[in-house]
Amino acid sequence: MLKQLSAPNHVIAFTIDGALSAEGVQEYRSIFDEKRQQYEQIGLYVEFLELADINASTLLEGVKADIELWRHLDQLSRCAIVSDKKWPQTLVSIIKRIVPKLEMQVFATSQSAEALQWAATIPKKPAAKRAAIHFLPTNKANVLAFEIDGTMSADEMPEVIDSLESFFADHEKVRLLNRMTHFAGFDPAILIQRQGLFSMKLAAIKKVERYAIVGAPNWMSKLIHAMQPVFPNMQMQTFAADREDEALQWLEAELIKTDELMT
């Protein structure tokens, strides 16, 4: 059962105790929709007392609520999870890796007052950051290299996608090099952009015959290898950060230095 709690006006606070119903999820969606229209920034406080199994209708409503939340994630300033269970900490650590801009923290039930106060505090907005994706020139027309350094933002995606789609349109078969200098996650708004990485046509992706990822963190390397069967015609290989030369040899290409472009 979902029960709303008393909290500052800009904070959505509730407890989950026992079975979560579809009606409870709908109530949460209604509260969230009302709050986001009233306040620029919203805090979220969720206290898990006990969570039982959920049925299909509840799961469906939950998916709808998640989509709605992702669409307006920029308005969610902080999310406090209160529980003495171990699984919320694991879940939050995974989400932080993928969506670092969302502040999340797990509190023990004995810290509920502190958790509510933390969720109600609106952090200062960080200064605008530079683009995280940069293209690197190569000596082969069908080899595209790019670097990821920072958090991928929704603002930079349209230009990135335009470049990728133009590149794919010009070649029947392509090879890619992804230099992951520092992957700090991505803006969740990318997931719902009409023109985004996740909406790129499958036909274009099928043109990739080799994809080298350099410097990927360990967890991402494991994920990449696990995804290999999904793209049987694409050879994907990861390389340590200090083995970029090997990756380029595998792609049969070289990077062109900036000073070489100017001569």
Side-chain angles (χ1 to χ4, degrees):
M1 182 177 67
L2 185 148
K3 179 181 178 182
Q4 191 173 3
L5 300 174
S6 176
N9 291 336
H10 67 286
V11 176
I12 301 173
F14 57 88
T15 61
I16 296 177
D17 187 9
L20 182 61
S21 65
E23 291 76 13
V25 177
Q26 290 174 349
E27 180 184 356
Y28 158 74
R29 289 182 62 192
S30 176
I31 295 171
F32 178 77
D33 190 56
E34 180 182 347
K35 294 287 186 183
R36 72 171 183 81
Q37 294 183 51
Q38 293 178 342
Y39 302 98
E40 183 179 350
Q41 292 291 292
I42 301 169
L44 181 62
Y45 171 100
V46 184
E47 184 175 336
F48 287 99
L49 299 179
E50 192 64 44
L51 182 60
D53 293 337
I54 60 177
N55 56 35
S57 62
T58 303
L59 182 60
L60 177 60
E61 288 301 324
V63 171
K64 293 179 181 178
D66 288 340
I67 293 174
E68 184 71 13
L69 179 62
W70 282 102
R71 288 179 58 195
H72 303 286
L73 201 58
D74 282 343
Q75 287 183 258
L76 188 60
S77 60
R78 284 182 171 178
C79 177
I81 307 295
V82 178
S83 176
D84 291 329
K85 305 291 184 180
K86 292 183 179 180
W87 66 264
Q89 189 66 59
T90 302
L91 177 63
V92 168
S93 65
I94 294 173
I95 295 176
K96 279 185 174 181
R97 287 180 178 180
I98 301 173
V99 193
K101 68 181 296 182
L102 174 60
E103 291 193 35
M104 299 186 71
Q105 191 167 328
V106 180
F107 298 82
T109 54
S110 60
Q111 300 174 300
S112 58
E114 178 185 345
L116 183 58
Q117 183 178 6
W118 181 83
T121 303
I122 304 297
K124 293 182 179 179
K125 289 186 178 181
K129 297 182 179 179
R130 61 183 178 83
I133 301 177
H134 309 277
F135 289 100
L136 309 170
T138 74
N139 67 336
K140 295 288 185 68
N142 70 325
V143 178
L144 180 73
F146 58 96
E147 175 185 31
I148 297 179
D149 186 9
T151 303
M152 296 161 54
S153 69
D155 292 338
E156 66 186 289
M157 279 302 109
E159 185 175 347
V160 170
I161 295 302
D162 283 343
S163 297
L164 289 174
E165 289 184 339
S166 176
F167 171 71
F168 282 127
D170 290 341
H171 306 283
E172 286 301 316
K173 291 295 182 180
V174 301
R175 298 181 177 186
L176 304 177
L177 172 79
N178 179 356
R179 178 198 288 171
M180 307 201 77
T181 301
H182 174 57
F183 176 71
F186 61 89
D187 185 341
I190 292 174
L191 296 173
I192 58 171
Q193 283 182 319
R194 290 185 177 180
Q195 185 183 26
L197 287 175
F198 300 94
S199 62
M200 188 174 293
K201 293 179 180 178
L202 185 60
I205 296 176
K206 286 182 177 179
K207 290 186 175 185
V208 181
E209 57 182 8
R210 290 189 180 184
Y211 184 18
I213 304 95
V214 179
N218 186 54
W219 67 270
M220 185 176 292
S221 295
K222 292 179 180 179
L223 178 61
I224 291 168
H225 287 298
M227 289 179 60
Q228 180 69 73
V230 180
F231 304 101
N233 297 322
M234 182 198 307
Q235 297 181 54
M236 292 189 287
Q237 192 164 330
T238 59
F239 299 82
D242 58 356
R243 294 176 56 205
E244 184 171 282
D245 288 343
E246 293 181 34
L248 287 165
Q249 289 177 8
W250 183 63
L251 295 174
E252 299 178 326
E254 297 178 5
L255 293 181
I256 301 176
K257 298 179 180 179
T258 305
D259 53 355
E260 294 177 355
L261 289 173
M262 299 177 65
T263 58

